[in-house]
Amino acid sequence: MRHGWQGVTLKLLGGRDFTFTVRSNELVSEHLRRLRFGDGGMLGVTGVHPTMWVRLWFERAGRPHQRGYTLVDPDPETGTFDMEFTLHSGPAGDWARGARPGDTIHATVQGTAFTPPDPPPARLLVVGDPASRPAINSLLESMPSTPARIWFESPDPARERGIPRHGAPDREVVHVPRRDGGAHLVRTVRSELPGHLCPASYVWIACDTVTTRTLAAFVRKELGVPGERLHALGYWRAT
Ligand SMILES: Cc1cc2nc3c(=O)[nH]c(=O)nc-3n(C[C@H](O)[C@H](O)[C@H](O)COP(=O)(O)OP(=O)(O)OC[C@H]3O[C@@H](n4cnc5c(N)ncnc54)[C@H](O)[C@@H]3O)c2cc1C
């Protein structure tokens, strides 16, 4: 598949291309599939870091569509990793529903860099949703003894388990129902997060693009958190 102008731009930015092969495809729930992949040599070249993600290329109506997905349990020795697809009605979700062992998918690695907070955080303050659940778990597992509070937005909090993936002391999850296109999450975080902030906090935000932008501006401009103590990246676009 050709990757169009986005692929050309990523190449100019140093993007590296790989082809992954589906090893298995498990239906975890009505809304979630977990796929295992062979890495096409990627992990040996790129190494592995917390919250690592890649851009996968899907085809629809003859056009390329690029979507970000996070590596789960990457293993450079076996050249394998999993991905967890929360299912939507777009090219990525449709592909994940039908993928079979032996199917291949193109990927580009660009923009995934992770800079560990320095000094290490005394507390993690995390805002996310099902799209960023794999990244949140990876972040929490990379700092196993750091206390964390996680505001986790989802359409149906009753169905959300597995965050954090492994139990650890001092990890509190606040389940926030998605209402008003993310505005309820914004109100909740605005009222609660300041009470948990300390000078050595690290704030990590990954929700829909508008919510992420709004909360990042709040944390940076109104709370005065310096850029190196804040990571914010929109994970999906609400339409
Ligand atoms: C760095 C990064 C890492 C990511 N890692 C993961 C991951 O590991 N697992 C994962 O499931 N997603 C992950 N995402 C999010 C994923 O790329 C998007 O959700 C993507 O838009 C899904 O593509 P699609 O083709 O299925 O749907 P699209 O064609 O993008 O959208 C179809 C419809 O579904 C809606 N929609 C899309 N995504 C979501 C969502 N997350 N929640 C609610 N509605 C949505 C859209 O608004 C639209 O109406 C990541 C994104 C980034 C940027």
Side-chain angles (χ1 to χ4, degrees), residues 8-143:
V8 173
T9 307
L10 289 169
K11 261 266 156 7
L12 290 172
L13 292 171
R16 286 169 288 180
D17 295 334
F18 299 91
T19 301
F20 302 154
T21 304
V22 177
R23 295 273 179 89
S24 62
N25 184 345
E26 177 196 357
L27 181 65
V28 178
S29 75
E30 190 190 341
H31 307 281
L32 186 67
R33 278 188 175 271
R34 185 173 173 121
L35 277 72
R36 171 151 291 219
F37 292 92
D39 74 345
M42 179 187 73
L43 297 175
V45 174
T46 60
V48 172
H49 61 76
T51 74
M52 183 169 174
W53 60 282
V54 300
R55 300 162 191 265
L56 298 182
W57 295 94
F58 304 94
E59 194 168 345
R60 180 177 270 188
R63 298 186 56 181
H65 297 268
Q66 179 213 133
R67 303 283 188 264
Y69 281 86
T70 305
L71 306 192
V72 176
D73 296 336
D75 181 352
E77 283 200 4
T78 57
T80 59
F81 56 82
D82 289 0
M83 283 182 179
E84 293 176 358
F85 287 75
T86 301
L87 301 170
H88 309 286
S89 57
D94 290 350
W95 180 86
R97 282 183 187 90
R100 306 232 180 307
D103 288 355
T104 57
I105 183 112
H106 293 174
T108 300
V109 184
Q110 201 283 323
T112 183
F114 178 81
T115 310
D118 182 23
R123 187 177 296 161
L124 287 166
L125 300 174
V126 175
V127 189
D129 65 17
S132 51
R133 174 180 22 225
I136 295 171
N137 279 324
S138 170
L139 181 74
L140 295 176
E141 285 162 27
S142 74
M143 300 179 211

Side-chain angles (χ1 to χ4, degrees), residues 190-231:
R190 280 186 73 98
S191 82
E192 295 183 8
L193 187 140
H196 296 274
L197 203 60
C198 63
S201 300
Y202 182 67
V203 183
W204 193 97
I205 305 171
C207 318
D208 73 78
T209 48
V210 172
T211 304
T212 301
R213 209 177 306 130
T214 305
L215 286 174
F218 167 65
V219 168
R220 200 173 46 247
K221 293 181 188 159
E222 295 185 43
L223 301 182
V225 172
E228 66 276 13
R229 308 304 290 177
L230 167 67
H231 169 93

